């Protein structure tokens, strides 16, 4: 198999369009693109041209002869995706170029500077007459690409280099330290630009409402990630790392990132972008074990196989799980792939537990759980039934990692059930000229690169409205 897509795949599909034989799937027009854990190279169709390697913004594609030992699992993962034959065209779908009427100048403001914003800017810059203003509340750009990716995921963090190239275009102005709604209003932006795109993400955590959740020693995994990545809003936070055990409630990719950072040798983090205050705290940490708890079974784990592969390859960390996965499941091989060595810290993946209370008086002392039975339903989903059996896990740090939630944007409609802004292809209902992209548009799903196809849809709606004469600039000045 000549080329293999590996762990840091961001799913932005640049490789799809670079491939001359359409051997990388799923493509953005295929139904499973939005839910795929990563993209995959077809070993039977790859012609070993290497075009995908240079197209990938995060160096996720390697020749099979250059794979590290912990990456060899991706040979099977790529091949297994094609185990069931699937019909597909000879070439990937052609994306027609964007063009504005009469070659006119198109001025667009983007609120936020994370991946969704930068991909929207990149798409707009394919139009020769486009100019883009990006407004960011913080003093540093790129949102979760900077403050949400674990510091030891160097290749994934490399997407910032791609965003730097977008930012360097002379038609882009990045306005930092500027909060829309406080220092500049929506109406002002709308008056000075043909359109405003909100790419504000899903900044809040889903909260866990159980007794004791407000005790000192309880925080969200999102807050912990922001702390170790140097987010200015969390630089003064402190976390109690003095107990030998921590518990993480939820088992998605963020939970595994946090568990890894808490248990890996701080010396391995010293050359990364981790915040100095976090590195110093981790050097003095007494945590020896992190228990990652999910309410369903191993088959319903929320983390991806690539994330688990990276976790299991962490030196000095033993990953332990009592699982009933079939041998054909790649997670089974990873979880049974190595024995703990003396001195290893442990990450325990625990299942079928729902938290009922955080225990302690002045600080966290543990978490009480109820044991669940996971029942398969006729439609292929599962439901959880509490058995009444209880279990307590002692811990001095409890982090909740049960998802993100969007927040209302002043002046825009908001669907509280989905925590998103209602839209039609990215168009926000109401006066023309307001659009959304990214998590505030579709909810907290997908990966960094998923925002590319999401932004493409929004920008195409915007350009169609501009060409129809629906977008005007009424202000006298342009920032």
């Amino acid at each position: 198999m000549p080329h293999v897509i590996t762990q840091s795949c961001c799913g932005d599909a640049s490789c799809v369009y670079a491939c001359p034989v359409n051997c990388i799937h799923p493509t953005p027009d295929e139904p499973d693109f939005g839910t795929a854990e990563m993209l995959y190279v077809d070993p039977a169709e790859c012609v070993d041209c290497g075009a995908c390697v240079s197209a990938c913004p995060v160096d996720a594609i390697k020749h099979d002869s250059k794979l590290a030992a912990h990456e060899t699992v991706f040979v099977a993962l790529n091949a297994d995706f094609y185990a069931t034959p699937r019909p597909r065209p000879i070439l990937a779908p052609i994306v027609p170029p964007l063009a504005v009427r009469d070659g006119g100048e198109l001025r667009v403001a983007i609120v936020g500077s994370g991946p969704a914003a930068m991909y929207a800017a990149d798409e707009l810059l394919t139009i020769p007459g486009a100019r883009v203003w990006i407004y960011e509340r913080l003093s540093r750009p790129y949102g979760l690409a900077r403050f949400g990716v674990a510091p030891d995921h160097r290749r994934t963090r490399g997407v910032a280099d791609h965003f730097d190239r977008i930012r360097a275009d002379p038609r882009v102005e990045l306005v930092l330290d500027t909060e829309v709604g406080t220092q500049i209003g929506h109406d002002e932006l709308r008056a000075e630009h043909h359109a405003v795109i909100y790419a504000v993400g899903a900044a809040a955590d889903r909260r866990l409402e159980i007794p004791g959740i407000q005790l000192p020693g309880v925080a969200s995994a999102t807050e912990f990630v922001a702390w170790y990545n140097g987010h200015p809003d969390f630089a003064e936070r402190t976390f109690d790392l003095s107990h030998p055990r921590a518990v993480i409630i939820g088992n998605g990719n963020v939970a595994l990132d946090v568990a890894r950072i808490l248990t890996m040798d701080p010396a391995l983090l010293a050359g990364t972008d981790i915040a100095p205050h976090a590195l110093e705290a981790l050097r003095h940490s007494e945590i020896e074990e992190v228990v990652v708890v999910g309410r369903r079974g191993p088959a319903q784990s929320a983390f991806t196989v690539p994330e688990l592969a990276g976790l299991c390859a962490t030196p000095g960390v033993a990953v332990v799980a009592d699982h009933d996965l079939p041998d054909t499941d790649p997670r089974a091989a990873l979880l049974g792939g190595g024995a703990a060595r003396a001195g290893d810290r442990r990450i325990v993946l625990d299942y079928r537990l729902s938290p009922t209370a955080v225990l302690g008086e002045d600080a966290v002392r543990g978490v009480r759980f109820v044991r669940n039975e996971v029942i398969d339903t006729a439609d292929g989903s599962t439901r959880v039934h509490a058995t009444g059996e209880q279990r307590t896990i002692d811990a001095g740090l409890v982090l909740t990692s049960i998802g993100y939630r969007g927040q209302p944007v002043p002046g825009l409609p908001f669907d509280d059930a989905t925590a998103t802004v209602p839209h039609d292809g990215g168009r926000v209902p109401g006066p023309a000229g307001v659009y959304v992209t990214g998590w505030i548009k579709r909810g907290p799903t997908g990966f960094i690169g998923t925002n590319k196809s999401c932004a493409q849809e929004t920008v195409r709606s915007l350009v169609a409205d501009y060409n129809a004469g629906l977008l005007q600039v009424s202000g006298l000045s342009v920032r």
Side-chain angles (χ1 to χ4, degrees):
M1 180 175 183
H3 283 87
V4 180
I5 297 179
T6 64
Q7 179 184 352
S8 59
C9 176
C10 70
D12 84 340
S14 295
C15 56
V16 168
Y17 300 108
C19 178
V21 294
N22 195 26
C23 74
I24 302 176
H25 293 266
T27 60
D29 65 323
E30 293 178 325
D32 51 347
F33 177 77
T35 57
E37 294 186 349
M38 55 182 285
L39 305 184
Y40 306 88
V41 174
D42 186 341
E45 298 294 334
C46 178
V47 295
D48 200 18
C49 70
C52 56
V53 176
S54 56
C56 178
V58 293
D59 297 327
I61 307 177
K62 294 185 177 184
H63 193 275
D64 64 352
S65 64
K66 298 180 179 179
L67 295 174
H70 72 274
E71 294 174 322
T72 56
V73 64
F74 291 100
V75 174
L77 286 177
N78 279 249
D80 287 349
F81 183 76
Y82 298 93
T84 301
R86 57 181 62 211
R88 63 172 185 260
I90 295 176
L91 295 176
I94 302 299
V95 179
L98 293 169
V100 299
R101 54 180 168 81
D102 303 325
E105 182 180 73
L106 174 62
R107 298 197 287 268
V108 180
I110 302 176
V111 182
S113 68
M118 300 310 297
Y119 280 121
D122 195 28
E123 190 70 10
L124 286 162
L125 293 172
T126 64
I127 306 168
R131 295 181 64 191
V132 180
W133 287 259
I134 301 173
Y135 293 85
E136 169 55 55
R137 177 180 69 87
L138 301 177
S139 59
R140 301 171 71 191
Y142 309 153
L144 284 181
R146 184 185 298 278
F147 296 116
V149 177
D152 60 323
H153 281 176
R154 298 171 191 258
R155 284 189 286 164
T156 304
R157 292 175 73 91
V159 74
D161 295 336
H162 176 55
F163 297 158
D164 282 340
R165 290 190 289 271
I166 298 169
R167 174 184 176 181
D169 191 296
R171 294 173 295 154
V172 173
E173 182 174 344
L174 178 60
V175 186
L176 299 172
D177 295 307
T178 302
E179 185 171 13
V180 173
T182 302
Q183 293 153 285
I184 183 171
H186 168 78
D187 291 341
E188 186 179 355
L189 283 184
R190 186 63 194 88
E192 295 180 350
H193 304 83
H194 290 99
V196 179
I197 300 175
Y198 282 88
V200 295
D205 294 291
R206 291 179 58 198
R207 309 307 296 183
L208 184 63
E209 300 296 339
I210 58 175
I213 199 67
Q214 302 301 326
L215 280 170
V218 180
S220 73
T222 305
E223 294 167 335
F224 190 76
V225 170
W227 171 75
Y228 66 58
N229 276 328
H231 192 295
D233 290 351
F234 298 90
E236 303 302 319
R237 285 294 304 269
T238 59
F239 295 88
D240 186 356
L241 309 180
S242 63
H243 191 282
R245 182 182 294 117
V247 169
I248 302 175
I249 299 171
N251 63 7
N253 284 353
V254 173
L256 265 57
D257 275 344
V258 169
R260 187 179 67 258
I261 296 299
L262 282 170
T263 52
M264 71 187 300
D265 185 346
L268 299 176
L269 294 167
T272 71
D273 292 331
I274 191 170
H277 62 258
L279 181 60
E280 184 63 19
L282 290 167
R283 282 176 171 148
H284 295 91
S285 171
E286 297 181 28
I287 293 176
E288 299 174 357
E289 179 179 273
V290 177
V291 181
V292 181
V293 180
R295 62 193 297 262
R296 288 182 165 82
Q300 293 82 40
S301 297
F303 56 76
T304 63
V305 173
E307 183 71 24
L308 179 62
L311 181 69
C312 292
T314 306
V317 178
V319 181
V320 180
D322 181 14
H323 68 85
D324 51 7
L325 296 167
D327 292 340
T328 54
D329 191 315
R331 292 170 295 187
L334 289 167
L335 292 173
R341 297 165 296 183
D344 279 354
R345 292 182 175 181
R346 294 187 355 139
I347 295 174
V348 179
L349 304 181
D350 218 333
Y351 292 98
R352 302 180 182 89
L353 295 172
S354 289
T356 58
V358 177
L359 306 177
E361 295 181 2
D362 299 323
V364 170
R365 293 293 178 262
V367 186
R368 181 183 297 123
F369 296 89
V370 64
R371 178 72 64 182
N372 294 325
E373 179 184 7
V374 181
I375 301 170
D376 295 327
T377 62
D379 62 2
S381 63
T382 60
R383 63 182 179 87
V384 171
H385 170 69
T387 65
E389 176 188 347
Q390 295 189 355
R391 178 182 171 193
T392 297
I393 301 178
D394 294 335
L397 175 67
V398 175
L399 300 174
T400 62
S401 185
I402 56 175
Y404 296 90
R405 180 177 172 83
Q407 293 290 287
V409 179
L412 273 59
F414 188 73
D415 183 340
D416 192 65
T418 62
T420 60
V421 172
H423 68 92
D424 178 11
R427 295 181 183 91
V428 176
V434 184
Y435 303 85
V436 287
T437 189
W439 281 2
I440 195 63
K441 171 186 173 184
R442 68 180 192 275
T445 62
F447 306 98
I448 288 177
T450 313
N451 291 292
K452 183 173 184 175
S453 57
C454 182
Q456 286 174 336
E457 178 190 54
T458 293
V459 171
R460 289 188 176 278
S461 295
L462 185 158
V463 170
D465 292 346
Y466 177 80
N467 288 339
L470 301 177
L471 309 183
Q472 304 295 328
V473 175
S474 59
L476 298 179
S477 66
V478 176
R479 291 176 175 265

